[in-house]
Every structure is written in structure tokens, then in C-alpha cells.
Amino acid sequence: MFAYYFDLALRSLRRNRMLTALMILAIALGIGASMTTLTVLHVLSGDPLPGKSAKLYYPQLDPRDMTNFRPGEEPPEQVSWMDGMNLLKAGRADRQALMAGGAVAIEPPDPAIAPFFEDARLTTRDFFAMFDVPFLYGHVWSKADDGNDARKVVLSRRINEKLFGGADSTGKILRMGGKDFRVVGVIDSWRPTPHFYDLMTGDYSESEGVYLPLLTGIDMKLPFNGSRDCWGNDTNVDQKTAQCTWLQFWVQLDTPAKAAAYRQFLVNYSRQQKSLGIYQRDPNVHLRNLMQWLDYNHVVPSDVHLQFWLAMGFLIVCLVNTVGLMLAKFLRRASELGVRRALGASRRSVFAQLLVEAGTVGLVGGVGGLLLALLGLWIVRMQPSDYAALAHLDLPMFLATFLFAIGATLVAGLLPAWRACLITPALQLKSN
Amino acid sequence: MRHLLAPLLRHRLMPFLVVLQVALACAIACNALFLLQQRLKPILTPDGIGEPSHLIIASKIISRGKPWETSRLRDTERALRGLPGVASVSVAGSLPMVTNARMNGRVQGVGHGTRADTAMYIGDHLVKTLDLKLVAGRDFTAEEDAVRNHGVGMRQDGPVILTRSLADKLFPDQKAVGQTLQLGDKHPAVRTVVGVVAHLMRNDFGGGAHRNLDHAMLFPSIPSAWPLPSIGIRVAAGADPQQVRKQAENVIQRMLGDGMVRGIDPAYDMYGALRDQALARYRASVWLLAGVCLVVLIVTLAGIMGLTAYWVQQRTRQIGIRRALGATRRSILRDLQAENFLLVGFGSLLGLMAAYGVNLWLMHHYELPRLPWSYLPVGAVLLLVLGQLAVLSPALRAARVPPVVATRSV
């Protein structure tokens, strides 16, 4: 039955090529535009750590003085060295890591390669386990190394390829910032998008090339990479004691109960700091999970949202247009449908026949839309923005495009098909 | 009128679809056009720079540790000025189209209530190097350019040159030259206007619709205690800009190289290229939005045409009867046009309300300015014209229906 309807649909579509082409074009344009923007939105607002993100939290404390105090104000977006260290040592979460961005000069073992600067992440060791960073060789430094200024380093796959030709480099010595470091591990390709753990160094920036124990990096006074917010008139520039927030602190809390307990711990901690005279403000804490943190920071550019809504509006225009054209097309064939009804076709089978025709338009429109979406994404990749390179169609989006196109066209076909079914055969047979 | 409305009310679906299409198209096109105009602003604003192909901008000259010493910058400037083919050199806190260092503030004319948000370019010989057109007053004198700034120079008395649009905003209906202005509320520092230039574009193009991109002012002399200065180099007419650029690069590297932060190299761009780069994002947006508008309108045109053609074909008999009863071709044509006018007019009325609603929603979520009322009639007229275009071919066909049709097949 379906094959017969499909054959009828093709015949009918071929009869009025202009109208058919117009419908297909409208669907293809609508689908192409909406899938392009939807893909960009999907890539940019995706979960960087699916399955894990709900357990990762970003605590915020408010250690500032009372200058410029406004009630209900957001606490700073990073933590100070003192708070970070206190929270780290308290160890109340299942996992926790204190980190900062930096840069380090690398002197390659191969003298043929010129020394170069590379972005570094200075962090405590839970970073790797907490963010599910995959290891290619070796493993992270030990717990003791976090506290004893250890000269150990974990390299990214990219840097390992550049320096050691991709071989297992664990145990080798690498000279960085004028000091000798032992390579303890190499991580596999890892680029969470967005660069969620430190948004100060760019929302969609690449992962760093080298990973050092936090204390080691700070004691070497490596160039700092990120944002530092200070308060008070203190001219102190010592990173560890200055009244500045500049580190990121992440915790893993496996259950909601633990998250609630941790929030209470933060409040108690703030209260204790205030009673010690270190804090001046009343407890002002936030504990957002990863996705809430991204949302709060408006990581997805508002232009991307605007374009998405624009494309959705455009798709609706195209669909309404298709409804109109299909209605005109179906009703024009009233006499043909009247004959079919008179010869015994039920209202249902006429309806099914017309929906198959609508679906066929949707299928062809979907193929066209897919091609247009590929073209659109190619254009997006040409754009001067830091997320441009990420705009690729993945398999789920590829399938979604087809389902979306056919679904949308079927919905658009419902009204015209239903309207065409209402034709009374007798009336159509009489005239003409 | 009755013969126009009656068929529309009898078969409601077709007219309803036309109205819906027009309303949607109107809502989307109005908002897209408005966004387009927002993105177009930085591209269309005159930047005031003369001979862009003969201006070299060196930026990202970032000092390591403490800010550059002014004497060192002056030595570099002198060395650059000594190069063959260099007409003028400026060391400034920031320059037009340099987006990594910007200075902005709110100013107020002394004795005037109006405040304005403006960019500040602090540097020596800027009028000459940027080739700005003075329309009133004078350029800074050599003495003024030699003054030692405290800090970057924002909190001290001195002369200032404004753009014409900023002068008009601060001192409406008055000569700006000779007036004084102050920055912010707290600083008592007062600047006296000595000159007015035709245009100079600010280097932060974002922000609200009410922000005037041609609001800028110049302070003389080099900013002290500033870690990331830019250097503008005006190439003399007849000299080869690329040649000069290469030499300038060598000079800056020689004079300042050992004090630069490691890992970041200075950028040496021709002003034209820098402008293209800074505006690329806006240009891309403009193309995208223009494309969307155009396609929405074309799709709507095609949709109305398809529907009207069917709608006319349905009524061939009635039209024949009317013709047989004495209606002229012209009146048939006019009736169909009037009908289309009614439908599209009603549709755009709904569309305008929808456009406004969409804009309110966007304003709430994406910090967009309010859609100006002037967009609404423009959108409506656009769609009415479009509707008339769409109805023309089916209506002409209808007008050609011979009266004899009425007598057939009854």
C-alpha cells in the first residue's frame, strides 16, 4: 500500500514541478538554517563531562571587605590562596582540586626545536580523577607531591608528540622555566568544550599543554594566566597573602545530601572566618554545579542564541508557507480525490496517501536541508570567532536533521490532508 | 466592500493562511532588519582616519613587570621619526581599531547637564598621524604634547580635542572651542576644548543602540604608567608602506624588545587591514541577517502567490459571472488587489504587534535595545508592496477570464 501511495505521490509531485520545487526549497532552507544554528548551539552548550557534571560543584566565598558592599551581591568568581588552601586541607568533598592558569618556558630535549612558551595548568592532583582526564602513559603525581614542591609534570598528547615524538616519555627529564622536571604522565587528547574549569582564560580555549603541581608552579613564580580581582588598598603583591581572588576551586560531591552538607560547611567556614576577623561580610556563599556555573557565566555567546531563535522563526515561516502551498496543491486535485473516494477509497486511505506525499516532500527537503546545513556549518567555520572550529555535524544531529525535516513536513501536511479528505465525492464528480 | 469581505469570511482557511504568513514574515523581518542595523553601525560609522593605506599601527607592545618608562617611549618615537618615509609618529594609550586596550569614560561639560559616554585617545601628534580633519580650533601645540602626564593623564587639567558629534552633544547650539569639560563626578580635573575634528571612531563597538560610535576625544602627550601602548606611524606620501613597516618593526624591536613580555609578539598592521579584522565579525553578521531577511521575504512572496493563484482559480466561475454582468477587467483586477491589500494589511498589523512582542522578549533576555517605532511602518509598507507584487500575476490572469465562462457547465 505504501509503495502505491509513494508512486502516486511521485506522479503528483511531478505534475506541477514549479510548486513542488517551491515546497522542497522552502523546507530545505528552513531545515538548513535551523539545523546549522541548532548544531552550533548544541556544540557550544553541550555538557563537557556528560554523566559527571551533576556531581561537580564550584564553591564561591566572599572574603571582600565592606567597601562597595551591596546586599545580595554575587560573591567573587574565584577564591583567594588562603581560602583555597583552607578548603583543600579541610577535604570535606569526595574530591577537590585547587588550580590556576600559567605559562612556562619549555626547553625541548631536542636542540633542533627552539624553546617555546606553553600554557600550563597549575593544579592539585585530584584534577585528573575528578574531570575524568584520560591517561595515555603513566599517571598523576602522588599525594605527597602536592605538598612538597615536587618537580613532576604531566604532558598533553600534543606536547608529548612535539617533544618526544609521541613515545612513552614517563621518567624522562624535561627542562622548564630553568628547572628540571620529571615527566610522570601523558594524557590522551582531551578538550572539554567549554573550557569549563577556568573560564577566565577563554570560554572555548584549548586545554593546556603541561600540568604541574600547584605549589611547584607558584613557588617558581611562573607567569600568571587568568584574571585577578583584588580589594582593599593593600599594595601587597605576594600571591599567597594578597587580598585577591585568582584561583579556581572545584569539588566533587557524589550525592545531593553531600552537596547540601558542603554548602552548610561553606557557610560555617565563612562564619568562622568572620569571627576570627578575617572576613568582614556575613556568609555569602554559592555552590553551583558545573552546568549551572556555565549558565550563570553566559558561556554560550548571546549571538548564537539570537541566531538560533532567528532560524527557528525562519523555519516556522517556511513551514506555514509549505502548509499553504500544500493546501493549494491538494485542493486543486479535489476532482481526482473525488474519483478515488467514489471508487471506494476510504477517507482514511486518502488521508494516508496525502500524508505520504507530504512525507516525500519532507524527505527530499531534508536531504536539501542537510546539504544546506553542511554549507552553513562550513561558513560558520570560516567565521572569526573562537568557537568556529568546533562547528561540525555529529551523527545524532545528522539523524535529527532527517527526522526533524520529515516530522515538520508531516505536521505541515496534516491540515491540508485533513481538509482535502472532507471533500464530498458527489459534488466533485458533478461539476466538470 | 461587502463583495470583498464575503468570500473571505466564507472560506476562512485560505485568507487565514495568508494573514498568518504575512504576520510571521513581518515579525521576523522587522527584528532581523533591526539586528542588521545594529550590526551595520560600526561598519557605516566614519572612522575619521585619512589615507588608511598609509597608516601603520603597532600594538601589543606589552611591557614585562612594570609599565614602560615614558622617556624610553619618547626615544623609540624619535628613532621611528628618523626613518625615511615616516611623516609622523604617535605613541598612544590606545588607537582606533585596537581592541585589546581601550579607554572609555563619561564626560560632562562644565555648567552643562548633558553627559556623554566617550572613548579617550591619549597620545602625542595624534591629529597629524591619524590625519584627522580639524573643523574648528587648533591642534595641540608642541608644548602640550611634551607635558608629562601623571598616570595615563585622565586626572589632570589640560587641553582636549573632541569629535564634532561629541561637541554637539555636550555643548548644543554653542561653540565648543573654549568650553571646559570634566571626566566623571569625582575628579576635579578640567579640560579645555581647543579643537574639534570631523570624525574619530571609538574602538569599542559593542554596547547599546544609544551609544554613539563617533564620540571620541583626544588628550595630548604620552600616557605614563601604561603597560600596553600602541604606536601609530604615518607613512609619507610616495613612500612604500610595507618597506616602512619592516623598518619600524626593526626599530621597535631594537628599542623596546628587551623589556617586552615574553611569549607575546607585537603586531604591526596596516590600518586598513586592522579595520577589516576588527569589523569582520560585524560584516559576517550583516550578510547573515540580510540573507535571512531576503529569503523570508522571497518565501513569503512565493507563498502568497501560490495561495492567491489557487484562490483565484477556485473563483473563476464567479469572476466569469461578474464579467458577464458587466464588471470591467479593471474592476476585477482592482478588487483582487484590494482584497490582497486587506489581507496583507491585517496580517502586517498582527505582525507588527508580534514584532514588538518578540523584541520585548529579546530585550529581556539578550540586552537588545528597544525596536524603534519607525521600523514598524517601514515593515508594513514593505509587506504591502510585496503582497501587491505577489497578487499581480494571478490577478491579471483572473482579469482575462472571459465572461463566457459563466455560461459554461452549469
Side-chain angles (χ1 to χ4, degrees), chain A residues 121-399:
Chain A
R121 177 115 312 243
L122 318 177
T123 177
T124 54
R125 72 189 294 270
D126 274 359
F127 178 92
F128 300 92
M130 192 158 68
F131 297 154
D132 288 338
V133 184
F135 269 86
L136 197 60
Y137 305 117
H139 46 78
V140 64
W141 52 83
S142 71
K143 189 144 188 78
D145 291 336
D146 265 344
N148 64 4
D149 197 8
R151 298 276 152 77
K152 307 231 170 123
V153 61
V154 169
L155 303 180
S156 74
R157 186 182 179 138
R158 175 172 52 88
I159 290 296
N160 189 52
E161 272 163 17
K162 183 165 177 178
L163 297 177
F164 299 102
D168 183 354
S169 59
T170 50
K172 296 224 167 101
I173 299 293
L174 179 62
R175 203 159 169 80
M176 296 193 302
K179 306 259 165 51
D180 283 335
F181 281 75
R182 181 177 300 278
V183 178
V184 292
V186 176
I187 61 172
D188 208 346
S189 310
W190 185 65
R191 183 183 180 177
T193 43
H195 188 261
F196 70 94
Y197 51 85
D198 184 2
L199 297 171
M200 303 295 168
T201 50
D203 289 346
Y204 294 97
S205 52
E206 288 212 41
S207 310
E208 295 78 0
V210 295
Y211 300 80
L212 310 175
L214 177 68
L215 210 59
T216 312
I218 298 303
D219 287 344
M220 279 174 72
K221 298 209 178 336
L222 291 180
F224 172 68
N225 202 349
S227 147
R228 193 195 309 260
D229 287 300
C230 301
W231 61 94
N233 292 321
D234 200 359
T235 49
N236 183 1
V237 288
D238 180 58
Q239 287 178 308
K240 292 186 185 175
T241 52
Q243 294 186 312
C244 300
T245 58
W246 55 282
L247 297 125
Q248 302 89 43
F249 184 64
W250 284 91
V251 294
Q252 178 179 335
L253 300 163
D254 289 335
T255 62
K258 283 184 182 173
Y262 200 84
R263 190 188 308 271
Q264 192 53 47
F265 161 66
L266 292 175
V267 172
N268 293 343
Y269 171 81
S270 303
R271 198 165 286 141
Q272 181 206 6
Q273 293 290 308
K274 193 180 177 194
S275 70
L276 290 174
I278 299 169
Y279 279 17
Q280 296 185 16
R281 301 189 179 190
D282 284 332
N284 178 19
V285 305
H286 265 299
L287 189 64
R288 294 187 165 93
N289 71 24
L290 200 163
M291 293 314 278
Q292 288 166 340
W293 177 242
L294 294 182
D295 197 39
Y296 165 69
N297 276 283
H298 300 293
V299 164
V300 182
S302 66
D303 257 18
V304 170
H305 276 290
L306 274 181
Q307 281 164 12
F308 171 73
W309 290 116
L310 193 68
M312 281 298 151
F314 179 59
L315 177 67
I316 292 176
V317 167
C318 290
L319 284 182
V320 170
N321 183 61
T322 312
V323 171
L325 292 180
M326 233 183 266
L327 188 67
K329 189 166 170 58
F330 289 171
L331 289 186
R332 246 191 208 141
R333 280 163 44 211
S335 55
E336 176 203 317
L337 295 176
V339 172
R340 262 181 64 76
R341 291 273 285 116
L343 291 179
S346 67
R347 205 167 255 184
R348 236 174 112 149
S349 58
V350 170
F351 189 68
Q353 180 204 337
L354 294 178
L355 275 192
V356 167
E357 193 171 327
T360 311
V361 170
L363 190 70
V364 182
V367 174
L370 189 70
L371 293 178
L372 285 177
L374 289 175
L375 177 74
L377 287 171
W378 179 77
I379 293 174
V380 170
R381 284 197 293 276
M382 300 285 118
Q383 298 306 308
S385 54
D386 55 353
Y387 59 80
L390 299 168
H392 283 278
L393 202 64
D394 52 8
L395 189 68
M397 288 310 271
F398 182 86
L399 294 176

Side-chain angles (χ1 to χ4, degrees), chain A residues 22 29 117 302-303 305-307 309-310 313-314 316-318 320-321 323-325 327-328 331-332 383-384 415 419, chain B residues 13-14 17 20-21 24 28 32 39 262 280 284 288-289 295-296 299 302-303 306-307 309-310 313 361-362 366:
Chain A
L22 213 58
L29 283 171
F117 261 93
S302 66
D303 257 18
H305 276 290
L306 274 181
Q307 281 164 12
W309 290 116
L310 193 68
F314 179 59
I316 292 176
V317 167
C318 290
V320 170
N321 183 61
V323 171
L325 292 180
L327 188 67
L331 289 186
R332 246 191 208 141
Q383 298 306 308
L415 177 77
R419 196 73 182 67
Chain B
L13 195 53
M14 281 288 169
L17 279 175
L20 186 62
Q21 268 188 32
L24 282 170
I28 289 176
R39 299 293 188 273
R262 275 174 303 180
L288 178 81
L289 290 166
V295 175
V296 162
V299 163
L307 280 179
Y310 170 73
Q313 191 195 4
W361 186 83
L362 289 178
Y366 301 109

Side-chain angles (χ1 to χ4, degrees), chain A residues 72-147:
Chain A
E73 191 176 17
E74 267 288 324
E77 300 197 340
Q78 302 182 95
V79 296
S80 65
W81 175 265
M82 202 180 70
D83 285 336
M85 274 305 174
N86 286 342
L87 294 182
L88 190 69
K89 279 180 190 142
R92 294 297 186 91
D94 294 307
R95 285 189 176 117
Q96 47 246 308
L98 182 65
M99 64 194 82
V104 65
I106 299 180
E107 296 165 46
D110 179 359
I113 308 174
F116 60 95
F117 261 93
E118 177 59 37
D119 284 342
R121 177 115 312 243
L122 318 177
T123 177
T124 54
R125 72 189 294 270
D126 274 359
F127 178 92
F128 300 92
M130 192 158 68
F131 297 154
D132 288 338
V133 184
F135 269 86
L136 197 60
Y137 305 117
H139 46 78
V140 64
W141 52 83
S142 71
K143 189 144 188 78
D145 291 336
D146 265 344

